[in-house]
Amino acid sequence: SACEVVFAVGSLSASSVSWIVYGHHGLIAATIVVVGLCLVGDLVEVLRWSGRSELPMDTSSLPQGPVLPVQWYIASLVIETAALLVQLICGWTILCGMLLVFLFGGCGVLLHLRYYSGRLQENARTMLPILAVLAIVLAMVLTAPAHGRGYRSFNAKNHLSALLWLIFAGFAGTAAAQAFFTIMHVVPKSSYNERTSLVNTTRGVP
């Protein structure tokens, strides 16, 4: 959608400018702002669940996500908050990056690719905001000084070690998300054509 494109392009553009002007610290600031926006969005979803009885029927032709339980948004809030705190208070850059890659690179990618209503290629096109956040997080972690506190906290000697930690976090997030969806009985969103057929059939019933 247009909003997703604006978010992705705006985030990447602002992060690039921050990096050029302020270096690694500019990327930290950009990450905090972008994750903060995602945190606000998840908070809105949690608040919307109070008193929610029925979701409006979606007639968009774009792939749509499944109905997620409120526990998903609460868990996202906890992870995003923890990531911001460990970076702002402790300066543990790798741990911050791992938490965010766990959430966006592991959980988010699985959600979009497997549980949205379109085919794989169509679902992949909905991932632009997630890929933008991941790019900013990766840039933040991999531009951090290898001799700094953010790397020493994980005994990482170089940027390759940090990258391996992030890859591990991504796979862990995928496994955790799949377990969550299985336990909570989350099913893929039905396709647009199926929804349209169902609506038309319902309307034809006297």
Side-chain angles (χ1 to χ4, degrees):
S1 67
C3 292
E4 293 175 341
V5 173
V6 169
F7 174 83
V9 173
S11 300
L12 291 173
S13 300
S15 301
S16 300
V17 172
S18 298
W19 176 61
I20 293 172
V21 177
Y22 299 105
H24 171 65
H25 293 291
L27 287 175
I28 292 177
T31 301
I32 292 170
V33 171
V34 171
V35 175
L37 292 174
C38 297
L39 191 151
V40 171
D42 289 328
L43 180 60
V44 169
E45 290 295 333
V46 171
L47 296 177
R48 284 178 59 193
W49 268 94
S50 58
R52 172 184 282 181
S53 57
E54 184 177 355
L55 290 173
M57 178 166 288
D58 180 24
T59 58
S60 173
S61 60
L62 296 173
Q64 302 296 318
V67 177
L68 295 171
V70 68
Q71 291 90 337
W72 173 268
Y73 299 106
I74 293 174
S76 298
L77 277 173
V78 171
I79 295 173
E80 289 161 349
T81 302
L84 294 180
L85 290 178
V86 298
Q87 178 61 55
L88 289 172
I89 297 176
C90 305
W92 295 343
T93 305
I94 292 182
L95 180 57
C96 173
M98 287 180 65
L99 290 170
L100 295 176
V101 172
F102 177 96
L103 178 61
F104 293 98
C107 302
V109 168
L110 178 74
L111 171 64
H112 280 254
L113 291 182
R114 285 201 61 184
Y115 288 86
Y116 269 52
S117 60
R119 294 186 294 269
L120 183 64
Q121 297 85 346
E122 296 170 339
N123 291 343
R125 290 199 289 269
T126 68
M127 291 175 50
L128 189 58
I130 286 181
L131 295 178
V133 174
L134 282 175
I136 296 169
V137 172
L138 288 173
M140 178 195 71
V141 174
L142 298 180
T143 57
H147 59 274
R149 180 191 303 177
Y151 275 48
R152 291 200 310 268
S153 59
F154 268 73
N155 198 29
K157 305 298 183 182
N158 49 49
H159 293 99
L160 178 59
S161 299
L163 181 60
L164 293 176
W165 278 113
L166 296 179
I167 293 173
F168 169 78
F171 281 113
T174 301
Q178 185 60 69
F180 176 89
F181 293 146
T182 302
I183 294 172
M184 301 300 295
H185 304 291
V186 176
V187 295
K189 184 82 169 183
S190 60
S191 68
Y192 170 71
N193 291 333
E194 291 173 351
R195 295 200 305 274
T196 303
S197 176
L198 179 62
V199 172
N200 292 336
T201 302
T202 304
R203 288 174 178 172
V205 176

